[in-house]
């Protein structure tokens, strides 16, 4: 068995749906279980409709027009999703009346994207003589906690999930992104969460391989829009890919590898538009390349917060208190450094003024606080770093040649990741010059 997961762009119009279904047909001998995202930008349209409704206006036409077009182009039953649209309109109407939008309602509204796409893809499969069956993940035991918008599957769901999927009479086409909590409410796994669904179901079924079909030819050596010389990586380890996803490489939802690691299942990233490309395979262990590292990733718009103790408080005390304040404020931390009485923390993303101001008020009691916004983390990732004794020197000299000064550095204890704090406006130059470290070696 394999999982074949198709992202929104891979099923964005009728031609792409046909193409995706052709890819499934070509893999029939491997007993595929299909997982799909919502078509194209449906989730964005749904989110916009939810927010418009909070302002009192009911408008789901972006969603219904787009799907009507897709359904017509594919020549499937025009009423296929009508009951879903009716229910969607009901929820949106409810929001417009009470002018309140809870995270629970947002998840309910967003769920219509994948509920429609599974039906449409399964219907097209049937048209093509393949027994596609639309399946709602929330009806087959994909149970999660109740963190709407960022839910995590509950432990111990594998057996029930696997037996439900196996019981489907045909080729299951399962909703990505969605789950259900203990009270029966629909939850979502975070934006781009269908990758995560693919690996959750893959782990439950202990498949041979989880395939993520997307619009790039695998995991790249860096963002090709920053440096067009970027090339795709044939192979990476779970650990490398996790670091990559965590530090902002958009190819995989950051949690995707957790279930795969648990069961040691290979994850392959493939390009729907170029299925002949080998893509990248993510395996328990990495193959070392002749380069200095595997990939350069970056995260823009993070904040640097520095707290200098006014009183005699040790860095450890400041650190523990500061972490407490930030986590209560819902602020995540990506990097930390301490000196005797100073603590520097880098947030995991940009936060609005209000959130930062609120945290600062509370951090003030610890000492003098300084905040710099518009910062970026550039990260060099790869098992190769371990054996490269002069790597820090290489990184600093490349950045230095470009006039870029590292404001903070961290190297994880696993040694496969070196993160450097720079400014947003230095990203392109920093990534391109560090990418040379990888390009310097033969492909
Ligand atoms: N449809 C969801 C989103 O747009 C999930 C996904 O695409 O993976 O975020
Ligand atoms: Mg995606």
């Amino acid at each position: 068995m394999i999982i074949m997961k198709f992202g929104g762009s891979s099923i964005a119009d009728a031609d792409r749906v046909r193409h995706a279904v052709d890819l499934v047909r070509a893999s029939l001998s491997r007993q595929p279980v299909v997982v799909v995202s919502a078509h194209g930008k449906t989730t964005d349209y749904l989110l916009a409709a939810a927010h418009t409704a909070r302002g009192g206006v009911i408008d789901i036409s972006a969603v219904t027009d787009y799907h009507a077009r897709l359904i017509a182009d594919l020549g499937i039953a025009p009423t296929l999703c009508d009951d879903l649209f009716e229910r969607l309109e009901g929820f949106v109407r409810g929001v417009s009346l009470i002018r309140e939008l809870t995270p629970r309602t947002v998840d309910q509204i967003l769920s219509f994207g994948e509920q429609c796409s599974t039906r449409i893809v399964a219907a097209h499969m049937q048209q093509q003589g393949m027994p596609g069956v639309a399946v709602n993940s929330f009806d087959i035991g994909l149970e999660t906690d109740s963190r709407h918008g960022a839910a995590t599957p509950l432990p111990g769901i594998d057996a029930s999930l696997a037996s439900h999927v196996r019981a489907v009479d045909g080729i299951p086409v399962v909703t990505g992104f969605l789950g259900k909590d203990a009270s029966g409410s629909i939850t979502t796994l975070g934006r781009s969460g269908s990758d995560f669904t693919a690996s959750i179901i893959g782990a439950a079924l202990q498949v041979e391989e989880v395939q993520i079909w997307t619009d790039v030819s695998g995991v790249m050596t860096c963002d090709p829009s920053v440096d067009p010389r970027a090339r795709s990586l044939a192979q990476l380890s779970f650990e490398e890919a996790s670091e990559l996803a965590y530090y902002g490489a958009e190819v995989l939802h950051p949690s995707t590898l957790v279930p795969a690691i648990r069961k040691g299942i290979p994850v392959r990233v493939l390009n729907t538009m170029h299925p002949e490309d080998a893509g990248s395979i993510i395996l328990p262990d990495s193959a070392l390349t002749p380069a200095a590292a595997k990939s350069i990733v970056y995260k823009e718009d993070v904040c640097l917060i520095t707290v200098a103790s006014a009183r005699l408080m040790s860095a450890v005390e400041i650190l523990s208190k500061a972490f407490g304040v930030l986590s209560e404020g819902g602020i995540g931390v990506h990097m930390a450094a301490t000196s005797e009485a100073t603590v520097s923390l880098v947030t995991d993303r940009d936060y609005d003024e209000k959130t930062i101001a609120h945290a600062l008020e509370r951090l003030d009691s610890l000492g003098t606080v300084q905040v710099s916004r518009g910062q970026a983390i550039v990260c060099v990732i790869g098992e190769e770093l371990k054996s490269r004794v002069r790597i820090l020197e290489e990184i600093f000299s490349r950045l230095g040649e470009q006039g870029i000064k590292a404001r903070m550095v961290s190297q994880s204890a696993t040694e496969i990741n070196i993160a450097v704090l720079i400014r947003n406006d230095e990203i392109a130059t920093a990534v391109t010059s560090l990418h040379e470290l990888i390009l310097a070696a033969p492909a």
Side-chain angles (χ1 to χ4, degrees):
M1 263 183 155
I2 57 169
I3 305 286
M4 298 181 80
K5 178 260 165 177
F6 295 96
S9 63
S10 297
I11 52 167
D13 59 34
D15 273 342
R16 297 212 174 174
V17 171
R18 290 189 192 102
H19 183 64
V21 167
D22 286 344
L23 291 169
V24 175
R25 183 199 307 284
S27 287
L28 281 184
S29 62
R30 299 178 82 185
Q31 288 180 274
V33 171
V34 179
V35 172
V36 290
S37 297
H39 293 287
K41 301 212 173 305
T42 302
T43 307
D44 295 331
Y45 300 158
L46 287 165
L47 205 51
H51 286 281
T52 315
R54 189 172 50 184
V57 178
I58 304 167
D59 182 6
I60 59 165
S61 61
V63 176
T64 50
D65 291 353
Y66 175 42
H67 285 81
R69 175 79 200 262
L70 254 166
I71 288 173
D73 288 350
L74 285 167
I76 48 191
T79 54
L80 183 71
C81 295
D82 284 2
D83 61 316
L84 294 174
F85 296 148
E86 239 167 72
R87 286 181 35 223
L88 167 61
E89 175 148 14
F91 280 104
V92 170
R93 186 174 302 278
V95 171
S96 78
L97 289 173
I98 55 173
R99 304 279 175 109
E100 187 183 79
L101 186 59
T102 63
R104 182 164 168 261
T105 309
V106 170
D107 278 359
Q108 179 63 250
I109 289 175
L110 295 187
S111 77
F112 287 98
E114 275 75 9
Q115 293 190 68
C116 288
S117 64
T118 45
R119 280 197 197 178
I120 292 173
V121 171
H124 177 66
M125 283 166 95
Q126 288 164 17
Q127 240 179 1
Q128 300 299 307
M130 293 157 68
V133 179
V135 177
N136 290 326
S137 50
F138 50 85
D139 288 332
I140 56 161
L142 208 163
E143 281 175 34
T144 70
D145 57 23
S146 301
R147 275 188 66 199
H148 287 285
T152 312
L154 298 181
I157 61 172
D158 283 3
S160 141
L161 200 51
S163 72
H164 276 95
V165 177
R166 288 212 170 85
V168 172
D169 186 15
I171 303 168
V173 182
V174 186
T175 53
F177 187 44
L178 311 176
K180 194 185 225 173
D181 72 2
S183 72
S185 298
I186 290 183
T187 54
T188 61
L189 308 177
R191 291 306 303 268
S192 302
S194 303
D195 296 340
F196 193 15
T197 310
S199 71
I200 294 167
I201 297 179
L205 288 164
Q206 304 235 37
V207 295
E208 340 160 8
E209 180 171 298
V210 172
Q211 297 182 346
I212 306 289
W213 288 90
T214 178
D215 51 10
V216 289
S217 291
V219 181
M220 311 288 278
T221 51
C222 81
D223 179 347
S225 68
V226 172
D227 187 346
R229 296 171 299 173
R231 55 190 187 220
S232 71
L233 288 157
Q235 194 180 320
L236 324 68
S237 66
F238 282 144
E239 214 183 327
E240 288 170 331
S242 304
E243 294 283 350
L244 244 104
Y246 182 70
Y247 278 100
E250 277 177 5
V251 66
L252 283 179
H253 179 284
S255 304
T256 307
L257 294 159
V258 175
I261 292 170
R262 189 161 49 83
K263 297 277 177 78
I265 297 171
V267 175
R268 200 183 283 277
V269 181
L270 292 152
N271 189 341
T272 324
M273 297 324 284
H274 296 282
E276 67 287 352
D277 288 359
S280 304
I281 186 149
I282 305 167
L283 295 167
D285 294 308
S286 168
L288 292 179
T289 64
K294 293 246 171 28
S295 184
I296 314 295
V297 291
Y298 64 92
K299 193 158 210 133
E300 55 191 323
D301 284 328
V302 295
C303 309
L304 169 65
I305 301 176
T306 305
V307 186
S309 171
R311 297 174 281 125
L312 275 181
M313 205 189 286
S314 72
V316 179
E317 268 180 282
I318 307 178
L319 199 56
S320 81
K321 295 204 162 114
F323 268 121
V325 167
L326 294 178
S327 89
E328 275 164 37
I331 298 176
V333 173
H334 251 349
M335 285 169 81
T338 61
S339 67
E340 200 200 336
T342 315
V343 162
S344 305
L345 299 166
V346 179
T347 63
D348 59 349
R349 61 179 176 85
D350 196 14
Y351 290 88
D352 57 75
E353 291 289 344
K354 223 172 98 192
T355 309
I356 293 281
H358 183 73
L360 290 191
E361 248 168 56
R362 304 195 42 210
L363 287 174
D364 260 347
S365 64
L366 303 177
T368 317
V369 187
Q370 258 190 326
V371 178
S372 325
R373 309 190 75 142
Q375 308 293 303
I377 300 173
V378 175
C379 221
V380 184
I381 292 168
E383 303 271 353
E384 292 83 356
L385 295 175
K386 286 183 186 167
S387 55
R388 194 100 174 184
V389 287
R390 308 184 80 152
I391 187 66
L392 285 171
E393 195 180 314
E394 292 179 85
I395 290 175
F396 292 140
S397 79
R398 276 176 200 270
L399 293 177
E401 278 162 22
Q402 304 298 323
I404 298 174
K405 190 167 155 290
R407 306 190 69 181
M408 200 166 140
V409 184
S410 94
Q411 178 168 24
S412 69
T414 57
E415 292 185 74
I416 68 160
N417 163 18
I418 296 169
V420 180
L421 187 73
I422 57 168
R423 289 193 320 257
N424 272 343
D425 60 6
E426 294 167 332
I427 291 174
T429 316
V431 170
T432 308
S433 65
L434 293 177
H435 193 211
E436 305 271 354
L437 282 169
I438 297 173
L439 296 176

